[in-house]
Amino acid sequence: QVELVESGGGLVQAGGSLRLSCAASGLIGRTFSNYAMAWFRQAPGKEREFVAAISSSKTYYADSAEGRFTISRDTSKNTVFLQMNSLKPEDTAVYSCSQGRSLYASSRSSDYGSWGQGTQVTVSS
């Protein structure tokens, strides 16, 4: 069973930056780089929404994240990152990372089989 643990969330003022990390463990017999990784977020009272995904070399972003957020991965550390700049109050949510069922990077949550518990990001105005 893959375990994903997020960190790096917190309280930041609008316009500020945060860097989220997601460390994967328990990858018995599985290679981290063979699976897409993604970040989703869920704000109170709203449905979970796609933020960004990364396959082997390509990255994909929601319109709301394009130009402000950057997803990356360090395969030597089994870790995926989300650098968030120019944060807005509407970015406030619990951010969760997820591992895909394959290397196919999708914006659909159903294409991801393992999820972390999430880390809270709060952006004040």
Side-chain angles (χ1 to χ4, degrees), residues 1 7 51 62 65 77:
Q1 182 70 23
S7 61
V51 177
K77 298 181 179 179

Side-chain angles (χ1 to χ4, degrees), residues 10-33:
L11 173 63
V12 64
Q13 288 188 332
S17 299
L18 283 174
R19 188 191 194 208
L20 306 183
S21 300
C22 172
S25 62
L27 293 157
I28 300 174
R30 304 169 72 182
T31 302
F32 180 69
S33 59

